[in-house]
Amino acid sequence: MARCGCVVLLLFLVIFTEVNSQQGGGDPEDPDNPHRDPSKCEICKFVAIEFQGMMDDTGKTKEVLQLGYRIDREVKKVPYKFSELRLIEAMEGVCERIMKYNIHAERKSSGRFAKGESETFKTLKGLVNKGVKVELGIPYNMWDEPSAPVHTLKKYCDAMIEEHEDAIEAWFRGDQEKTLINYLCAERVLSREEADCLQEEWTGVEKVEHNTENKEENETTEDSADAEDDSKKKKQAELDRQRIQREIERQAEQRQTQEDDEKDIEREQERDRRKREREMERRRREREDKDGKRKTEL
């Protein structure tokens, strides 16, 4: 029983470490808080990475689109790779890819935003698979839901795509010799002082160094693994559990609020999308009319 109690205590300490770092003193702009709001550099970096990823994914197709439906005009054939449709689909889909990110609190700087499961939740799920009861205050199937900073990153992604639509379109229609990170972020969106995160890459070793206090606390816990009836540790574990429970509830409320905000933003973005489609369709028709007039004059 003593060893089982210690395992539960260690579990609480693992979660508490994650939650404590998430709180960052309650300041979302605290540079030591892995759950802080995304910086301007991080927003542009991951928007560019995901947009470039969509270009790489869709650039392999050899599909050809047939445009034009008038009887008196030949059908215009356009490779999908160079089509306006590909650009529109990328602009509309890039921010949804952001929602696949998670916060990896153990990683430094912009490496905290990454796809895949964090080490903390891998540990927790491993304990669940071993039969340890883990109570986080939310259903197990919601553990993988995007956290508040990821929702914030997605919101700013939508805004950046809208604000820099012309620059992205110019890059798309150009030769694309430069990566979008360089073309958009380094040269147009960020100042030199803001662009530090663009050079950061996760290689597996850029991890946050835990302070001495946490190390000593963990060592003390390990040394007392075989101790029995340690009322002080049980009491501390209960206090930690209660603090974690309150934090989980706060996060759940925050997530619900942000989900409501996201729905409002999505409705607004849908209106903007339809407006862009109508404008692009109008431009396409104007170009087709001009081409038709030139052919007639010839």
Side-chain angles (χ1 to χ4, degrees):
M1 288 293 295
R3 183 172 294 276
C4 180
C6 185
V7 170
V8 175
L9 174 59
L10 283 170
L11 170 61
F12 286 148
L13 289 174
V14 169
I15 307 175
F16 176 72
T17 300
E18 180 79 3
V19 171
N20 189 49
S21 67
Q22 180 169 350
Q23 289 176 323
D27 184 358
E29 298 181 359
D30 183 353
D32 295 324
N33 178 3
H35 291 261
R36 64 190 178 276
D37 288 344
S39 67
K40 185 177 180 181
C41 182
E42 289 172 329
I43 295 165
C44 194
K45 176 180 181 177
F46 294 113
V47 168
I49 286 175
E50 292 307 319
F51 196 97
Q52 187 94 53
M54 292 191 74
M55 291 293 100
D56 293 341
D57 292 343
T58 59
K60 301 172 185 177
T61 181
K62 296 182 180 180
E63 180 183 0
V64 175
L65 304 179
Q66 295 186 355
L67 306 178
Y69 304 96
R70 290 172 56 175
I71 298 176
D72 59 341
R73 183 178 300 170
E74 293 183 2
V75 173
K76 184 178 181 181
K77 295 182 179 180
V78 178
Y80 175 78
K81 182 177 180 179
F82 304 109
S83 70
E84 202 156 354
L85 177 61
R86 183 186 179 208
L87 174 63
I88 293 173
E89 289 179 342
M91 285 185 171
E92 291 180 352
V94 63
C95 295
E96 287 303 319
R97 291 166 66 109
I98 294 292
M99 297 303 289
K100 296 180 180 179
Y101 280 67
N102 286 306
I103 290 295
H104 295 246
E106 70 279 358
R107 301 184 183 182
K108 289 183 178 180
S109 304
S110 62
R112 64 196 175 107
F113 285 105
K115 295 178 181 179
E117 197 169 54
S118 69
E119 291 184 9
T120 299
F121 273 95
K122 284 181 181 177
T123 301
L124 295 177
K125 289 182 178 180
L127 291 171
V128 170
N129 293 335
K130 292 178 180 178
V132 178
K133 186 176 182 181
V134 181
E135 293 289 348
L136 297 183
I138 56 176
Y140 180 81
N141 60 2
M142 292 185 64
W143 284 15
D144 295 324
E145 288 295 310
S147 61
V150 175
H151 280 275
T152 303
L153 182 61
K154 195 265 184 186
K155 179 179 69 174
Y156 286 129
C157 171
D158 291 328
M160 181 163 287
I161 290 294
E162 182 176 356
E163 182 178 355
H164 299 283
E165 179 179 347
D166 291 341
I168 295 172
E169 182 175 354
W171 174 83
F172 173 78
R173 298 194 185 285
D175 54 24
Q176 298 182 20
E177 287 186 359
K178 296 180 181 179
T179 65
L180 188 57
I181 283 184
N182 287 331
Y183 182 89
L184 179 65
C185 301
E187 297 181 2
R188 287 166 175 78
V189 176
L190 305 173
S191 66
R192 182 175 298 179
E193 293 75 17
E194 295 172 325
D196 290 347
C197 81
L198 300 183
Q199 305 303 321
E200 295 170 354
E201 292 185 13
W202 168 251
T203 65
V205 297
E206 298 82 4
K207 293 188 176 182
V208 175
E209 295 180 1
H210 298 289
N211 59 41
T212 305
E213 182 180 351
N214 285 341
K215 290 181 179 178
E216 291 176 352
E217 186 177 16
N218 290 339
E219 289 172 359
T220 301
T221 303
E222 292 173 1
D223 292 339
S224 62
D226 296 326
E228 296 182 2
D229 300 323
D230 192 336
S231 59
K232 183 177 179 179
K233 287 185 175 58
K234 290 181 179 178
K235 182 178 179 180
Q236 184 61 46
E238 177 60 23
L239 291 174
D240 289 342
R241 187 193 67 78
Q242 292 176 4
R243 293 179 68 179
I244 293 164
Q245 184 67 31
R246 289 195 296 270
E247 175 62 19
I248 293 298
E249 291 173 357
R250 186 190 68 79
Q251 290 181 31
E253 292 177 0
Q254 184 180 16
R255 185 180 294 113
Q256 183 60 50
T257 300
Q258 290 191 336
E259 286 177 356
D260 292 341
D261 292 341
E262 283 295 322
K263 290 179 181 178
D264 292 338
I265 292 172
E266 287 175 2
R267 285 193 288 267
E268 184 176 345
Q269 290 294 324
E270 176 63 19
R271 289 194 295 269
D272 292 341
R273 183 186 68 80
R274 292 176 180 175
K275 182 178 179 181
R276 288 199 302 270
E277 286 182 347
R278 290 194 296 268
E279 177 62 20
M280 288 181 176
E281 178 64 18
R282 184 186 65 79
R283 293 178 186 176
R284 183 184 66 78
R285 289 177 179 175
E286 287 180 354
R287 286 197 295 268
E288 289 181 352
D289 290 341
K290 288 179 181 179
D291 291 343
K293 289 179 180 179
R294 290 196 188 99
K295 290 180 180 179
T296 301
E297 291 172 357
L298 294 175

